[in-house]
Amino acid sequence: MNATEALKKLSDVSMEGLCGSILERHRETVRVQKPHIAISKLVLIIEATLKLSSRQSFHATSLRQISEESGVSMGSLYSYFDSKDTLLLMILDQVATTTTNILGNPPEEVLAKPLNHLRWLIETHVELTDAMLPWFNFAFLEAKSFPRFGRKAAIESEEASERIFREVIEKGVQQACFVVEDPAFAAALVKPLLQDWYVKRSKWRRRGINAKEYSTRVKNFVEKALSVNAAT
Amino acid sequence: MNATEALKKLSDVSMEGLCGSILERHRETVRVQKPHIAISKLVLIIEATLKLSSRQSFHATSLRQISEESGVSMGSLYSYFDSKDTLLLMILDQVATTTTNILGNPPEEVLAKPLNHLRWLIETHVELTDAMLPWFNFAFLEAKSFPRFGRKAAIESEEASERIFREVIEKGVQQACFVVEDPAFAAALVKPLLQDWYVKRSKWRRRGINAKEYSTRVKNFVEKALSVNAAT
DNA sequence: ATAAAAAAATCGAGCGTTCGCTCAATTGTG
DNA sequence: CACAATTGAGCGAACGCTCGATTTTTTTAT
C-alpha cells in the first residue's frame, strides 16, 4: 500500500471502508472467505444494528431483529461474529480506531501554530462525528454498559482522544498563545463540548444549528476560556 | 406542611427522602399500605437497582437479580411496581423532580447578581450530583434507551435545567456582567461540563479531583468563556 | 392480657415467551 | 462436482410476570 492509498484509507468513513477495516481486524472470527462478500454483508449487518440500537439499546435489540432488518439469516450472522458481544466490540473498536487515526494525523500546515491545530481538531472532530453519527451515538451509549474487557478499552479510547487535546493546549501554553492554569483539565472540558454535538443531535437539529455553526461557536467558546492570544 | 418542613423536604436527598417522594407520586401503583414499610422496601429495591445497573445496564439487569440483591422476593417486588418499565420511570422521574426543585429554588441572596447566581447554580449542581451520584448516572445512561413516553420526559427535563442556566446568562448579558453572543448556546455548553462530573466520575476520582475543586475550575472556565465583568 | 379473626405483606414455583446460539440440510459458485 | 455460503427449525436457559399458599401484623372479642 502506497502513501496515497494509506491516506485514502485513513479517512474513508464510508460504510464499506469502515466495514473493510472491521474485517481486517477480525479476519479469523469472520468465517466468510471472499472479502467482497464479507464486507457487503457486514455493511448490511452493521447498518441494521446501528439503526435498531438507536431506537432501543443494543442489549434490547435481538439478533432476530437484526436478521430481519439486514436480510441476513440467523445462521449466517454467526459466520460474521461468534457472539453478540463480538458484534458490539467490532463497532466500538472501529469508532475508537477511526477517531485516533484521523485526529492523530493533522495536516502539516496546522502544526506550526497551536491555535490553528486546536481549531483544526475541533472542526475535524465535529465533521467526523457528523459523518459517522450513528457510530458515535452507538459507541457513546453502549460503551458504558459494556462489561469486562470493553470497559477498559473504552476508557483508553477516551483518554487517547483527550490526550490529543491536552498536548496541543500544553504546547499553546508553553508558547504563550493560551493562558490556562491546568491544560489537562481544560482538555477534559473540551471533550464533552464536542460530544454534545452527536449525543444530543436532535436538540441541535431542532434549533437549526448545523455542523459548521456548531464548530464555529465551540471554537469561540473554547478560545475565550483559554484566553487565546491571537497574535501567536 | 409549614415552610421549614417544605424546605427540609425540598433538599432531602437521602435515600429515604427520595423514596418517600417516589411513593407519593406513585401512591396508586404501590400496593403496600403502610408508608414506613413501603419506603423502607423501596429503599432496598432502588439501592439494589442502582447498584446492579451501574455494572451492567438496567435492561441487562433482571428482576431476579434485583430480588436477590435487595432481599425482596420476586412476588413482593410487584407490590411496589406493576412492571419493570415503571421501576425505571420511578427513578428517572425522581431525578428530574429533585433537579428542578433544587436548582429552581436558589437562596434570595444570590438573585441580585447574575454572577453570584451562576456560581451558585454551578456549585449546587456539582453538590447535588455528588450527593445523588448513582441516581444521576442511572438517569444519564438509561434515559436515552428509553422508549415511548420516557423519551419525551427526558427531553423536557433536560431542557428545563438548561433553561435555568439560559435565563441567568441572559439576565447577566442584559446587565452587562457577561459578554456572549448567544446565551442559549452558552447555556447548552455549560450543561455537558456539569454532566461530566458524574458521567465520568471515575476519571476525576483517579485524578484526585474532588467536588469543590471541580466546581471551582468549571466556574473559572465558564466565567472566562462568558467574559465576566467582575465589577457588576 | 390473651386468643381468635381479619387484613396486610411476603413468598417462590410455575407460566408463556423470547433470548443467544447451533447444526444438519440446502442453495449458490467457480 | 467440490467448496463456499446460507438457511431456519430447534435447543436449553433466562426473561418478565402471576398467583395461590404462607407468614406477619393489626384489629377485635373476650
Side-chain angles (χ1 to χ4, degrees):
Chain A
M1 191 186 297
N2 63 35
T4 313
E5 279 172 352
L7 186 67
K8 190 179 171 188
K9 184 166 176 200
L10 202 66
S11 55
D12 184 4
V13 293
S14 67
M15 283 301 294
E16 284 74 16
L18 295 167
C19 289
S21 173
I22 288 176
L23 178 59
E24 273 181 29
R25 212 166 342 93
H26 293 85
R27 206 64 203 83
E28 68 263 22
T29 358
V30 180
R31 290 211 309 273
V32 173
Q33 306 295 320
K34 317 274 173 177
H36 73 278
I37 294 181
I39 290 178
S40 66
K41 284 291 169 67
L42 274 174
V43 168
L44 293 175
I45 293 168
I46 288 175
E47 267 176 349
T49 304
L50 294 176
K51 180 177 177 183
L52 292 168
S53 300
S54 71
R55 296 195 223 135
Q56 58 206 273
S57 73
F58 177 72
H59 211 104
T61 304
S62 73
L63 290 171
R64 282 171 181 82
Q65 286 179 284
I66 294 174
S67 167
E68 195 176 356
E69 177 76 31
S70 64
V72 177
S73 70
M74 280 294 294
S76 269
L77 288 179
Y78 279 82
S79 296
Y80 294 92
F81 48 79
D82 51 16
S83 75
K84 200 186 172 191
D85 272 352
T86 300
L87 172 59
L88 174 56
L89 206 63
M90 280 174 167
I91 301 176
L92 295 183
D93 271 357
Q94 189 53 38
V95 172
T97 302
T98 308
T99 304
T100 310
N101 273 351
I102 291 193
L103 293 187
N105 288 283
E108 284 192 20
E109 60 264 29
V110 304
L111 284 175
K113 294 187 180 180
L115 178 56
N116 288 341
H117 191 174
L118 178 67
R119 284 174 175 167
W120 178 85
L121 280 175
I122 292 174
E123 283 167 16
T124 308
H125 197 290
V126 171
E127 281 170 22
L128 173 61
T129 55
D130 210 46
M132 286 176 63
L133 181 63
W135 295 73
F136 277 89
N137 265 319
F138 182 90
F140 187 83
L141 288 176
E142 306 303 337
K144 322 277 171 181
S145 57
F146 202 58
R148 302 173 300 279
F149 43 109
R151 202 101 168 197
K152 202 174 155 195
I155 290 175
E156 278 167 14
S157 164
E158 167 83 15
E159 301 212 321
S161 81
E162 193 179 307
R163 189 180 314 116
I164 293 174
F165 280 93
R166 196 193 68 223
E167 283 168 1
V168 68
I169 293 175
E170 278 171 352
K171 204 169 73 176
V173 169
Q174 283 168 20
Q175 299 182 16
C177 7
F178 307 150
V179 179
V180 57
E181 58 175 308
D182 184 348
F185 195 86
L189 293 189
V190 172
K191 269 238 81 186
L193 294 181
L194 294 170
Q195 279 176 341
D196 217 52
W197 171 241
Y198 58 91
V199 173
K200 305 189 192 131
R201 180 53 156 279
S202 62
K203 182 177 83 178
W204 299 114
R205 198 179 291 118
R206 215 179 313 130
R207 299 189 187 179
I209 307 276
N210 63 29
K212 199 173 169 60
E213 283 174 313
Y214 189 85
S215 69
T216 301
R217 295 190 183 199
V218 168
K219 277 186 281 183
N220 215 296
F221 189 86
V222 169
E223 287 174 23
K224 281 172 80 175
L226 296 183
S227 307
V228 165
N229 178 357
T232 58
Chain B
M1 191 187 299
N2 63 37
T4 314
E5 279 172 353
L7 186 68
K8 191 178 170 189
K9 184 168 176 202
L10 204 66
S11 55
D12 184 4
V13 294
S14 67
M15 284 301 294
E16 286 75 17
L18 295 166
C19 290
S21 174
I22 288 176
L23 178 59
E24 274 181 29
R25 213 168 339 96
H26 293 85
R27 206 62 203 88
E28 67 262 22
T29 350
V30 179
R31 289 211 311 273
V32 172
Q33 307 293 320
K34 316 277 170 179
H36 73 279
I37 294 180
I39 290 177
S40 67
K41 285 290 170 67
L42 274 173
V43 168
L44 293 175
I45 293 168
I46 288 175
E47 267 177 348
T49 304
L50 294 176
K51 181 177 176 182
L52 292 167
S53 300
S54 72
R55 295 194 225 136
Q56 58 206 274
S57 73
F58 178 72
H59 211 102
T61 303
S62 73
L63 291 172
R64 281 172 181 81
Q65 286 179 285
I66 294 174
S67 168
E68 195 176 356
E69 178 76 30
S70 64
V72 177
S73 70
M74 279 296 293
S76 272
L77 287 179
Y78 278 82
S79 297
Y80 294 92
F81 48 77
D82 51 16
S83 77
K84 201 187 172 191
D85 272 352
T86 301
L87 173 60
L88 174 55
L89 207 61
M90 281 175 167
I91 301 176
L92 295 184
D93 271 357
Q94 189 54 35
V95 172
T97 302
T98 307
T99 305
T100 310
N101 273 350
I102 291 193
L103 293 187
N105 289 282
E108 285 191 16
E109 61 264 30
V110 305
L111 284 175
K113 295 186 180 179
L115 177 56
N116 288 341
H117 192 171
L118 178 67
R119 284 175 175 168
W120 178 86
L121 280 175
I122 293 174
E123 283 167 16
T124 307
H125 197 290
V126 172
E127 281 170 22
L128 174 61
T129 54
D130 209 46
M132 287 176 61
L133 180 61
W135 296 74
F136 277 89
N137 264 320
F138 182 91
F140 187 83
L141 288 177
E142 306 303 335
K144 322 276 171 184
S145 57
F146 203 56
R148 301 174 299 279
F149 43 109
R151 201 100 167 199
K152 203 174 156 197
I155 290 175
E156 279 166 14
S157 164
E158 167 84 15
E159 300 212 322
S161 82
E162 193 180 307
R163 190 180 313 116
I164 293 174
F165 279 93
R166 197 192 68 223
E167 283 167 0
V168 68
I169 293 175
E170 279 171 352
K171 204 169 74 176
V173 169
Q174 283 167 18
Q175 299 182 16
C177 353
F178 307 148
V179 179
V180 56
E181 59 175 307
D182 184 350
F185 194 86
L189 293 188
V190 172
K191 271 240 78 188
L193 294 181
L194 294 170
Q195 279 176 343
D196 216 52
W197 171 240
Y198 60 91
V199 173
K200 303 185 194 136
R201 179 55 156 279
S202 63
K203 182 178 83 178
W204 298 114
R205 197 180 291 119
R206 215 180 311 129
R207 299 187 187 181
I209 306 276
N210 62 30
K212 198 172 169 59
E213 284 174 312
Y214 189 84
S215 67
T216 300
R217 294 190 184 198
V218 168
K219 277 186 281 183
N220 215 297
F221 189 85
V222 169
E223 287 173 24
K224 281 173 81 175
L226 297 183
S227 306
V228 165
N229 176 356
T232 57

